[in-house]
Amino acid sequence: MCDTGARRLVLQQRLLSHNDAHAARNRQQFEQRGLRVVNLLSAPGSGKTSLLERLAQHWPRPPIGVVVGDLATDRDATRLQQAGARAVQIRTGDRCHLDAAVVERAVAQIDTDEMDLLVIENVGNLVCPSAFDLGEQRRVAVLAVTEGEDKPLKYPALFGSADAVLINKNDLAAVVGFDRAAARRHLQAVAPRAVVFEVSAISGEGLAAWIDWLDQPCGPDR
């Protein structure tokens, strides 16, 4: 006779424990190198690369380093190199996020001498990347005004994990009818601890305030 009794399976190890171990090692190595590290996340087309071009050009102690995650091509890394950053591209293929082990290997390709800021430009995705600690000290989410003010409510895990949110493409807000007050209410609901900056990579609006925030000492580990 078949045994139809219920069985209970207890998982003793966290599913992300392997990634977390790499993230802890990354964090230790970043601290030893004197690097402040930012994980930049958003949907595709939010303007992350344009913001990083501006950051590379205006960071008070250039150069900055950038690890670029993208499904294909090295176009973004080339753009950032032309802007003065030390950039390396990770082509993820069909993978929808970066993990800590991949970031560790990519950073090993960057000359971090005389560098104090490293930005990880994550794959354009609002779901998968939020679950993966990469060893960063700060996490920044980008919300383009063209995406709509309700995006934080639809993706609370990502925005809720952010230390700062950049409302980008602010120069287009009036054209697309973006409701700033509603966006800020939604961010307050899902990401109450996040600092919010309204910025434009085209006009330069708000970038000085964001750069000043990045230049401040980080608090305790996230």
Side-chain angles (χ1 to χ4, degrees), residues 17 54 75 95 129 143 159 167 183 194:
S17 61
R54 284 279 196 162
R75 293 174 60 87
R95 297 181 62 187
L143 167 65
F159 286 96
I167 300 178

Side-chain angles (χ1 to χ4, degrees), residues 26-106:
N26 285 351
R27 188 168 287 111
Q28 182 180 42
Q29 292 177 354
F30 296 153
E31 290 174 356
Q32 290 172 348
R33 298 184 188 188
L35 289 172
R36 60 193 74 198
V37 181
V38 177
N39 187 0
L40 190 64
L41 307 101
S42 78
S46 68
K48 292 193 303 299
T49 305
S50 295
L51 287 169
L52 290 178
E53 286 178 312
R54 284 279 196 162
L55 180 60
Q57 293 162 352
H58 296 285
W59 183 247
R61 295 170 302 281
I64 68 168
V66 185
V67 173
V68 184
D70 213 341
L71 299 182
T73 84
D74 59 358
R75 293 174 60 87
D76 288 352
T78 299
R79 285 175 56 186
L80 292 168
Q81 289 164 359
Q82 292 172 345
R86 297 175 184 171
V88 60
Q89 184 93 30
I90 300 174
R91 281 175 281 187
T92 62
D94 58 357
R95 297 181 62 187
C96 61
H97 64 274
L98 298 179
D99 61 44
V102 168
V103 168
E104 181 181 25
R105 292 193 293 271

